[in-house]
Amino acid sequence: MDRTACIDLPAFPLQLLLRREPEWRQHPAAVVAEDRPQGKILWVNEKARVGGVLPGMRYAAAQALFPALRAGVVPPSEIDAAVAEGCERLRQFTPFVEPAEGEPGVFWLDARGLIPLWGSLDAWAAQVHTDAVRAGFVASLVVGFSRFGAYAIARSRRGILVLNDARAERDGARAVRLDRLALPPTARDSLAKLGVRTVGEFVDLPLEGVGTRFGAEVHRMHRFASGSLAVPLQPDRPAEPEQVRVILDHPEFQAGSIEAIVAEKLDPMLTAIGKKGRALGELQLVLRFERLGDHVESLKPAAPTLDPKLVMELVRLRLQAVRTLPDGVMEVILVARETDPTPRQERLFAVRGRRDLAAASRALARVRAKLGDDAVVRAVPKDAHLPEAKVAWEPVTDLVEANPRPVDEPHLVRRFHPNPVPLPPRERHEPDGWMLRGLEQGPVMRVLGPYVVSGDWWSNPVHRDYHFAETKKGELLWVYFDREARRWFLQGRVE
Amino acid sequence: MKANWGQQPNFQPEKAPLREEPRNSVAVPSFAPWSLPSLEGRLVEISGDVAGAPLTLVFRLVLEAQRRGEPAAWVGRRDSIFYPPDVAEAGIDLAAFPVVWTPDAIRAAEAADLLLRSGAFGLVVVDFGAASRLPMHAPNRLAALAQKHTAVVACLTEKDAERPSLGALVSVRAHAAREERLDDRFRCALRFVKDKRRAPGARHVEIFRGPDGLH
């Protein structure tokens, strides 16, 4: 018996935005088409909807209506990447996954033959749903018998539903409201005026009339819903990565020899990738040691490339740190992650800036290759109370053009210790004053504060009294007393 | 009566009383000793002791670099870094300001070398901190690359003005200090201890607003 499942991640671009900005979950949020006041609002969450913000409004109008509104752009490339990531995750549970075309966030899954593996379809569905939730999504999953039946029911409810009867699926799908399906809004409104509000009422309309009156898209949906368009599952087949495995005759201890092997094998790999019209996005170098097991190094060029010289430079930088390997290498495996080449906008006029941002990105890729993938970052300010939570460090791949903000007045900058430095306990009697930084800096002459920061009382309570302490030598320290730990910490200093 | 507080850099031949600070409104002149054009192609060391302000003053260069469309980068230790909200407050676009974490001074010099070699950066700030001991070739290489690519390499060190600079090829050595304060305004001054293109002893003075709570 055919079993098909459908998983729906409703308002997928909005969910992507909230996954990117998790603190916005507590606030009204919207996805806008463009980052400008006239940008059109595409998706809104429930909090924004309650405040009167609806899709189709301009961002400036929505902001005037609801000043607390947070909005962001989710570019098509990000949606495509998230759909590809979703397919990859879902393939852990079934080999055949089809993403819905034109409806990101909807995936059909082949649920045949899974009971021997998972015990029951309920257990399988629970695992798939849990994985989606763990990835940060709200999802609904329906295991049914037909593609349309599972899709329609998944669009109309939340959670997991495993249907055991084809008739129940048909009846359930007929009861689904039409506004839950991806019909063009004009057709949906016209049908509503005709009193056609559910899938059942829609399917009962004559097929030819629907085609003539509402166009090809609605006609196709009608055929899909009535079962006359029985399209088999068209799974998304991931391209097999180019891979080369070299088994060495004897254990190799020299990093230089490994580099030579990589250089020899890389060229044909890049040629093969180029023939597919793709480019190298990431190269994984797996060293299989005699006793230490497998070691994986991952190298990412600044932009997808087919240039062996550039890739070899990154390999060389990564291997430069070691001359002699800690154990004999028995096997070298190269795995190429392919990607579409980045389309490059050609300049209309031959005017070039003094500095080349692409060259800067390549330089950062070299630094990453030398110092590790997490060595090149940028600071992203966050809306939080604790100083260490006010900033997140995210990896940098591409350097963008700077857009500095005009400032009224220059500001002092503090040096900051992300891991606060514990200070010696304060003496009960201090005849010479508070020696916060030892005798050399002299006693504290002035203390400003406290500025109390507290929170997280429901899980890990934090209560800090922040002060600025000025020593006799003029050092301006940014310190706090942690009431939970009952001691002083140095958070930074004015520099 | 409250003092007038200037907002733009002021170049003074000698220290003046804080309350007589004139109101400035002009942009930084290109011949000013603490400006990107006059430091281009040079290895610069900005030192400061416990009451110094080297971090604040180097970020004035970062802001100027970003305004001129010159990519800037930071190389330093993960456990002692600039406070990003302060830097954002100073006008700098953090999204276009890459930070490279390095475990020690040698690695920091190597990372700066790789960035400068690309010719794509106009300013690279290397935070050496108190560990200012470097092999002789490191500053020499950085100086050569700065000259070749018309970039500024600004090295931050924690030391007294009397201690020697990082190397013989350091073209400008300036010592930054916080000199005086009134309420939440601070006067910070750079004293040019060594400048291979000018006579030493010049000063650069600016007034800065302190962070919230420091008044």
Side-chain angles (χ1 to χ4, degrees):
Chain A
M1 190 194 298
D2 272 6
R3 297 306 306 258
T4 303
C6 180
I7 184 163
D8 175 35
L9 313 175
F12 191 57
L14 181 66
Q15 292 211 50
L16 291 178
L17 179 70
L18 295 180
R19 199 169 66 149
R20 200 203 302 156
E21 306 283 354
E23 63 267 30
W24 290 8
R25 285 177 199 275
Q26 315 305 324
H27 302 280
V31 175
V32 286
E34 297 163 89
D35 187 9
R36 61 192 190 96
Q38 290 307 308
K40 199 172 163 184
I41 290 190
L42 302 175
W43 302 90
V44 294
N45 68 357
E46 204 50 43
K47 287 190 173 69
R49 200 179 280 273
V50 168
V53 179
L54 293 172
M57 291 171 90
R58 299 288 166 188
Y59 176 57
Q63 183 76 27
L65 197 67
F66 206 173
L69 182 73
R70 271 85 164 155
V73 178
V74 182
S77 59
E78 189 179 336
I79 296 173
D80 292 346
V83 168
E85 186 198 329
C87 287
E88 190 78 37
R89 282 188 91 103
L90 290 168
R91 264 194 289 275
Q92 298 170 61
F93 302 98
T94 177
F96 303 117
V97 177
E98 180 189 342
E101 204 182 324
E103 221 174 329
V106 174
F107 301 87
W108 281 286
L109 315 172
D110 187 358
R112 288 174 303 175
L114 295 171
I115 296 174
L117 271 173
W118 296 86
S120 69
L121 281 175
D122 295 85
W124 173 78
Q127 288 292 326
V128 176
H129 190 264
T130 308
D131 187 66
V133 172
R134 201 173 291 146
F137 292 108
V138 174
S140 59
L141 174 66
V142 173
V143 184
F145 296 86
S146 68
R147 285 171 52 135
F148 180 79
Y151 160 74
I153 299 172
R155 296 284 293 179
S156 65
R157 66 190 309 283
R158 293 283 165 269
I160 307 167
L161 177 67
V162 180
L163 295 161
N164 295 315
D165 181 2
R167 185 186 291 272
E169 182 194 76
R170 202 165 42 245
D171 294 345
R174 283 183 68 87
V176 172
R177 279 172 37 198
L178 267 189
D179 59 7
R180 294 285 172 188
L181 306 187
L183 281 175
T186 47
R188 184 195 60 209
D189 295 345
S190 302
L191 285 164
K193 282 179 191 163
L194 294 169
V196 180
R197 293 173 197 283
T198 65
V199 170
E201 290 163 356
F202 176 58
V203 168
D204 290 343
L205 294 173
L207 178 65
E208 291 76 22
V210 168
T212 312
R213 184 156 181 177
F214 298 108
E217 201 177 336
V218 181
H219 181 254
R220 192 174 184 281
M221 180 62 89
H222 189 282
R223 289 184 64 205
F224 190 32
S226 62
S228 67
L229 181 69
V231 187
L233 199 72
Q234 294 162 39
D236 181 47
R237 295 188 189 281
E240 284 296 313
E242 286 291 325
Q243 189 169 327
V244 175
R245 187 173 168 208
V246 183
I247 300 170
L248 305 177
D249 294 339
H250 53 85
E252 185 56 70
F253 287 87
Q254 295 300 317
S257 307
I258 303 294
E259 194 185 310
I261 292 166
V262 175
E264 187 192 331
K265 300 294 175 192
L266 186 66
D267 224 16
M269 279 177 95
L270 291 176
T271 310
I273 294 168
K275 276 184 185 165
K276 293 184 217 168
R278 310 199 81 198
L280 179 82
E282 182 186 353
L283 178 72
Q284 285 192 337
L285 170 63
V286 184
L287 301 178
R288 188 158 284 167
F289 288 106
E290 202 174 8
R291 288 187 306 275
L292 297 176
D294 286 358
H295 176 78
V296 185
E297 288 288 350
S298 172
L299 299 151
K300 281 186 194 165
T305 183
L306 288 170
D307 182 358
K309 256 173 71 181
L310 205 147
V311 181
M312 273 317 294
E313 193 184 350
L314 299 182
V315 172
R316 206 168 294 123
L317 284 164
R318 186 59 64 89
L319 291 176
Q320 218 171 40
V322 280
R323 281 194 190 139
T324 308
L325 296 159
D327 188 15
V329 176
M330 299 299 293
E331 267 182 66
V332 178
I333 303 164
L334 293 173
V335 184
R337 302 263 171 231
E338 299 164 24
T339 181
D340 292 327
T342 317
R344 203 168 47 183
Q345 173 73 52
E346 297 300 334
R347 285 173 187 273
L348 186 57
F349 303 106
V351 178
R352 285 191 62 197
R354 191 173 155 198
R355 307 284 176 185
D356 181 1
L357 286 180
S361 298
R362 286 197 293 275
L364 294 173
R366 286 187 199 105
V367 175
R368 259 200 314 276
K370 188 163 184 71
L371 298 174
D373 287 336
D374 59 346
V376 185
V377 292
R378 73 172 134 227
V380 182
K382 295 278 170 187
D383 188 12
H385 293 294
L386 290 178
E388 60 266 36
K390 275 189 174 174
V391 60
W393 299 96
E394 67 175 33
V396 180
T397 45
D398 282 336
L399 191 64
V400 292
E401 205 162 312
N403 184 19
R405 202 166 49 84
V407 282
D408 298 335
E409 198 176 11
H411 279 70
L412 282 178
V413 176
R414 280 169 280 187
R415 186 172 282 281
F416 175 63
H417 301 301
N419 298 317
V421 183
L423 292 168
R426 195 167 176 185
E427 298 291 329
R428 189 175 290 268
H429 302 289
E430 292 172 330
D432 300 321
W434 183 17
M435 298 291 182
L436 183 59
R437 294 280 270 173
L439 288 172
E440 200 183 327
Q441 302 305 329
V444 172
M445 304 304 287
R446 197 153 65 127
V447 179
L448 296 165
Y451 307 100
V452 180
V453 177
S454 66
D456 269 0
W457 50 265
W458 54 93
S459 56
N460 188 18
V462 174
H463 193 120
R464 297 177 183 175
D465 296 336
Y466 274 90
H467 302 261
F468 285 100
E470 190 171 3
T471 65
K472 194 172 184 181
K473 276 220 168 171
E475 198 173 14
L476 261 173
L477 300 164
W478 185 28
V479 294
Y480 69 86
F481 182 73
D482 189 324
R483 290 203 195 170
E484 298 298 324
R486 301 203 56 75
R487 70 179 304 172
W488 288 89
F489 289 89
L490 177 67
Q491 184 79 79
R493 74 174 189 197
V494 177
E495 204 178 297
Chain B
M1 196 177 127
K2 204 162 183 178
N4 271 337
W5 291 92
Q7 294 175 5
Q8 294 295 326
N10 175 32
F11 308 102
Q12 295 181 312
E14 57 190 32
K15 187 174 168 180
L18 187 61
R19 284 177 183 277
E20 289 174 15
E21 205 71 53
R23 183 192 290 272
N24 302 299
S25 58
V26 292
V28 185
S30 60
F31 54 82
W34 195 245
S35 65
L36 216 60
S38 67
L39 297 173
E40 267 176 1
R42 306 172 81 181
L43 177 63
V44 182
E45 181 182 349
I46 311 114
S47 60
D49 52 24
V50 292
L55 202 59
T56 299
L57 284 157
V58 89
F59 272 107
R60 295 296 284 160
L61 282 186
V62 174
L63 182 65
E64 196 189 342
Q66 288 198 338
R67 282 182 180 160
R68 287 172 176 268
E70 295 273 359
W74 174 276
V75 181
R77 283 184 7 240
R78 194 188 289 256
D79 58 346
S80 177
I81 184 84
F82 57 86
Y83 187 45
D86 285 354
V87 172
E89 194 74 18
I92 286 145
D93 181 5
L94 288 169
F97 187 55
V99 172
V100 178
W101 301 129
T102 54
D104 52 46
I106 307 284
R107 291 282 180 160
E110 284 174 4
D113 187 306
L114 283 173
L115 296 181
L116 288 165
R117 199 168 287 281
S118 70
F121 286 90
L123 170 65
V124 177
V125 183
V126 193
D127 183 15
F128 286 120
S132 53
R133 283 189 169 222
L134 278 175
M136 195 186 285
H137 69 267
N140 293 1
R141 281 170 72 113
L142 293 180
L145 287 168
Q147 192 172 20
K148 183 177 174 187
H149 297 291
T150 336
V152 182
V153 183
C155 303
L156 285 175
T157 55
E158 193 180 323
K159 59 170 87 157
D160 298 333
E162 287 70 36
R163 283 179 57 195
S165 57
L166 281 172
L169 289 187
V170 169
S171 180
V172 174
R173 161 83 187 280
H175 190 76
R178 259 181 294 111
E179 288 188 337
E180 208 171 337
R181 72 177 277 186
L182 185 75
D183 298 333
D184 61 342
R185 305 295 204 278
F186 291 79
R187 182 166 68 184
C188 300
L190 263 180
R191 182 160 62 86
F192 289 80
V193 180
K194 163 181 166 183
D195 188 339
K196 289 191 172 177
R197 293 187 194 165
R198 300 162 197 255
R203 278 165 54 83
H204 166 86
V205 180
E206 276 191 80
I207 309 294
F208 294 92
R209 191 169 192 274
D212 288 344
L214 189 57
H215 54 80

